[in-house]
């Protein structure tokens, strides 16, 4: 039970750090709302209140839209994983399976972020399938 809980906490923490790194990287490079120097400032924002110190509103900038969609995708996939993964710890799962499912989800989430926001390639649908497969496996075990 302790091994599974430790794996869950570790993977949840890694995912939270990944989300934070992606948001900070994209905030500095795309939204540029901090005074930190960044090379490719666009001074384009998605909402008018962000333009108080300069810049313009742009609803059609592909970089801003990609970051917004990536963050939305993170929230749609990570929040159910946190809740169901937490509940999964209490159904006394097989440690080997549980730890490897946590690892699979975490690795797939990091790879998805890289191929979606950093190195842009066509949507990796098989990666999304593996993400949801893990969540569905957790949920069926929790419900039983």
């Amino acid at each position: 039970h302790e091994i599974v809980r430790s794996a869950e906490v570790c993977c949840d923490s890694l995912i939270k750090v990944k989300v934070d790194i992606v948001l900070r990287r994209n905030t500095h490079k795309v939204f540029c709302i901090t005074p930190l120097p960044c090379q490719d400032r666009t001074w384009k924002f998605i909402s008018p209140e962000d333009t108080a110190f300069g810049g313009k509103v742009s609803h059609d900038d592909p970089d801003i839209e990609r970051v917004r969609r990536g963050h939305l995708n993170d929230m749609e996939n990570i929040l159910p994983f946190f809740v169901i993964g937490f509940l999964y710890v209490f159904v006394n799962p097989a440690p080997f399976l549980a730890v490897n499912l946590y690892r699979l989800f975490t690795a797939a989430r990091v790879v998805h972020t890289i191929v979606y926001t950093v190195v842009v390639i066509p949507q990796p649908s098989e990666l999304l399938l593996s993400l949801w497969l893990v969540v569905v496996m957790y949920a069926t075990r929790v419900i039983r």
Side-chain angles (χ1 to χ4, degrees):
H1 189 72
E2 286 183 29
I3 294 171
V4 176
R5 180 68 181 140
S6 297
E8 189 254 342
V9 168
C10 180
C11 290
D12 285 357
S13 299
L14 288 172
I15 290 172
K16 289 174 188 173
V17 167
K18 180 215 57 101
V19 169
D20 189 47
I21 288 171
V22 169
L23 285 177
R24 288 181 190 274
R25 175 193 172 272
N26 291 320
T27 297
H28 295 178
K29 295 184 85 174
V30 178
F31 297 117
C32 295
I33 59 173
T34 65
L36 297 175
C38 59
Q39 208 167 358
D40 47 351
R41 288 184 186 246
T42 60
W43 294 104
K44 294 179 184 174
F45 302 91
I46 200 161
S47 61
E49 56 269 8
D50 293 333
T51 61
F53 298 107
K56 64 179 184 173
V57 174
S58 175
H59 295 287
D60 59 350
D61 187 274
D63 291 332
I64 292 175
E65 282 302 308
R66 177 164 296 284
V67 171
R68 188 187 64 75
R69 285 191 315 267
H71 183 66
L72 181 62
N73 184 275
D74 272 348
M75 295 302 103
E76 290 171 349
N77 289 289
I78 291 172
L79 294 178
F81 172 74
F82 285 164
V83 172
I84 294 171
F86 176 74
L87 295 174
Y88 184 66
V89 171
F90 297 105
V91 298
N92 200 19
F96 179 78
L97 178 63
V99 169
N100 285 315
L101 286 174
Y102 284 119
R103 289 175 182 164
L104 173 67
F105 186 89
T106 303
R109 204 62 237 170
V110 170
V111 169
H112 178 267
T113 299
I114 291 169
V115 299
Y116 194 77
T117 59
V118 180
V119 180
V120 181
I121 62 171
Q123 186 63 26
S125 57
E126 62 278 347
L127 211 59
L128 291 176
L129 179 63
S130 70
L131 294 172
W132 278 106
L133 180 65
V134 170
V135 173
V136 167
M137 286 179 70
Y138 285 160
T140 54
R141 175 68 189 211
V142 167
I143 291 170
R144 279 196 281 164

